[in-house]
Amino acid sequence: MCIRDRRKQLRALVRAGVENRPGVYRMLGPTGTVIYVGQSRALRTRLLSYFRATGRRNKAARILRHAFQIEWEYTHTEFGALLRELRLIKQYRPHFNTMMVMDEWPRAYVALTGGPVPGLRVVARSDDPAAVALFGPFRRVARVRDAVRALAEATGLRDCTLEDTVRGTGRARGSALWFADDPATRPRATARARAPGCLRHDLGTCAGPCIGAGHPLGYREAAAHVRTFLEGHGDVPVRLLEDAMQRAAGELAFERAGVLRDRLAHVRWLHERVQHFHANVDRLTFRYHAIGHADAEWVYLIRRGTVRAEVRAPRTPEEQETFAALVQRVYAGADPAGADVPTHDLDEFYLVASWFRRRPEEKRRARPVHL
């Protein structure tokens, strides 16, 4: 079937079946793979606009040229459509969504990896499988890379790209990262370190686990300080650099003091952004009463910027009782995620924050939580 006939068939499908209400849609390729996910508060109008798009550089026309099928589903509200779109993109990682985000502006996240030898790195995805603590996104990618290098040099953590574990097995990869004093990470006799030396270790800014140097207890303590730093609960790296700069100045080592001053500026820049982020987390804890399709009222239970439940507003005493029990489960006690914002929900936090920042009238529909 040629492209023109396929477009006619898809347009007829939309005209016959899609209503003008909030929802999400999926464009599928020839093998059924999801190539694009979108949303709209008026789904029919949005989908029909694709068939009016022309030109090779037009985003909608480019997507439609590769679409062999369109699927859609309705949501209760426009906010629900945005939320569903985000979750589908994270589930399917469609080609065109990924490319358009990269074209719009580059993203960078600061990640602390897990495993027996944690490391710092800059990643492009908020769902990086190796990350145990994550912060971002940043638009100034070069600036965040400088800050991560400075943070690594201040604490002695590695910032190389060696994996901590063999993917999918959870086993330590001793031939790449190990400590001479730690049997758990020491490689077998047949295994070899990655390289005969480590430049950062020679310069005194890394413990050097890639060559078996350093001590596991000190390294893991440094990793704990970095995690606390990224979670907004500590400033040990800042204080380490301040003390080192003062010592260098006291010893009249002004060139080294200048290097430490620049390093401190990068780490302070990152620290300010971490603090600002965490200061805003608890402000996004409330019930959001949204008006959706057919003027129905829906309640989103939002805790620390992530949506924990979505229900229709209660109308009867029985529904009120069920709703009260749900509110108690969502908001009472410690957050089951164990952190301000779960790593895998970081994009959702920014979606929620952006929604209420750009729509102050919707923020007025937010109600405090009373337990």
Side-chain angles (χ1 to χ4, degrees):
M1 182 184 298
C2 68
I3 293 178
R4 180 177 296 178
D5 290 341
R6 195 168 72 236
R7 284 172 62 100
K8 288 181 178 179
Q9 186 180 70
L10 292 176
R11 183 169 54 203
L13 176 70
V14 171
R15 283 178 170 172
V18 182
E19 300 176 28
N20 237 2
R21 52 185 291 190
V24 296
Y25 57 92
R26 296 179 289 274
M27 300 286 191
L28 278 59
T31 62
T33 302
V34 178
I35 61 172
Y36 184 73
V37 172
Q39 63 79 31
S40 177
R41 61 182 177 183
L43 201 54
R44 178 186 172 87
T45 300
R46 178 70 185 102
L47 284 174
L48 288 177
S49 72
Y50 276 83
F51 302 98
R52 296 190 296 271
T54 59
R56 300 194 65 83
R57 290 183 175 272
N58 184 282
K59 180 182 79 170
R62 193 153 42 107
I63 294 171
L64 195 59
R65 279 197 298 271
H66 294 81
F68 282 69
Q69 184 59 274
I70 301 175
E71 297 178 344
W72 63 88
E73 61 184 271
Y74 302 115
T75 57
H76 304 302
T77 65
E78 182 185 358
F79 179 74
L82 282 165
L83 190 64
R84 179 63 175 158
E85 177 195 37
L86 174 66
R87 292 174 176 176
L88 287 173
I89 290 173
K90 293 176 76 68
Q91 177 183 347
Y92 292 113
R93 299 197 63 81
H95 170 77
F96 282 102
N97 291 95
T98 303
M99 291 301 102
M100 286 166 187
V101 167
M102 292 174 64
D103 290 343
E104 182 182 357
W105 53 273
R107 293 186 176 203
Y109 296 85
V110 180
L112 178 68
T113 65
V117 188
L120 271 169
R121 65 174 63 162
V122 177
V123 299
R125 291 169 45 181
S126 65
D127 56 351
D128 188 278
V132 295
L134 198 73
F135 180 75
F138 295 88
R139 298 192 186 192
R140 302 173 64 182
V141 178
R143 184 71 187 267
V144 75
R145 290 189 186 279
D146 290 340
V148 167
R149 169 52 64 95
L151 182 59
E153 289 173 340
T155 57
L157 259 62
R158 66 183 184 88
D159 63 351
C160 55
T161 57
L162 291 176
E163 294 294 337
D164 290 335
T165 58
V166 178
R167 187 175 298 278
T169 66
R171 293 184 288 106
R173 189 168 161 178
S175 60
L177 300 164
W178 58 290
F179 294 108
D181 296 333
D182 189 358
T185 63
R186 188 179 300 137
R188 297 189 301 271
T190 56
R192 295 182 178 180
R194 176 190 59 159
C198 172
L199 179 60
R200 277 195 55 209
H201 179 259
D202 293 341
L203 294 173
T205 60
C206 181
C210 64
I211 58 173
H215 192 279
L217 293 180
Y219 191 92
R220 288 163 194 161
E221 182 181 10
H225 288 318
V226 169
R227 179 162 187 169
T228 302
F229 175 91
L230 290 176
E231 291 176 347
H233 303 309
D235 64 348
V236 169
V238 174
R239 290 188 280 110
L240 287 173
L241 284 170
E242 289 174 340
D243 292 344
M245 185 178 68
Q246 291 173 3
R247 285 198 303 271
E251 296 168 1
L252 305 183
F254 298 119
E255 184 175 350
R256 173 163 174 73
V259 171
L260 291 168
R261 178 200 61 211
D262 295 342
R263 199 176 291 169
L264 177 60
H266 288 307
V267 174
R268 278 177 172 164
W269 175 84
L270 183 60
H271 186 243
E272 288 173 1
R273 276 143 188 82
V274 168
Q275 291 293 312
H276 178 75
F277 170 80
H278 290 286
N280 286 302
V281 166
D282 277 330
R283 297 179 187 175
L284 290 177
T285 297
F286 46 73
R287 293 161 33 196
Y288 170 42
H289 291 247
I291 303 301
H293 179 67
D295 292 329
E297 182 179 357
W298 292 84
V299 184
Y300 295 87
L301 303 184
I302 300 173
R303 181 170 181 176
R304 292 174 174 171
T306 58
V307 178
R308 309 303 173 91
E310 172 189 358
V311 295
R312 183 151 186 163
R315 292 164 294 179
T316 67
E318 293 78 10
E319 290 177 349
Q320 287 280 4
E321 185 176 348
T322 302
F323 179 74
L326 177 62
V327 169
Q328 186 74 20
R329 286 198 303 272
V330 169
Y331 294 106
D335 192 334
D340 283 341
V341 178
T343 295
H344 66 279
D345 285 339
L346 197 57
D347 286 327
E348 186 171 309
F349 170 84
Y350 284 107
L351 181 148
V352 172
S354 175
W355 171 264
F356 290 107
R357 183 177 64 251
R358 291 185 289 109
R359 294 172 175 82
E361 71 281 0
E362 293 300 314
K363 186 63 182 292
R364 289 192 284 272
R365 296 185 179 278
R367 301 179 186 176
V369 177
H370 299 293
L371 298 178

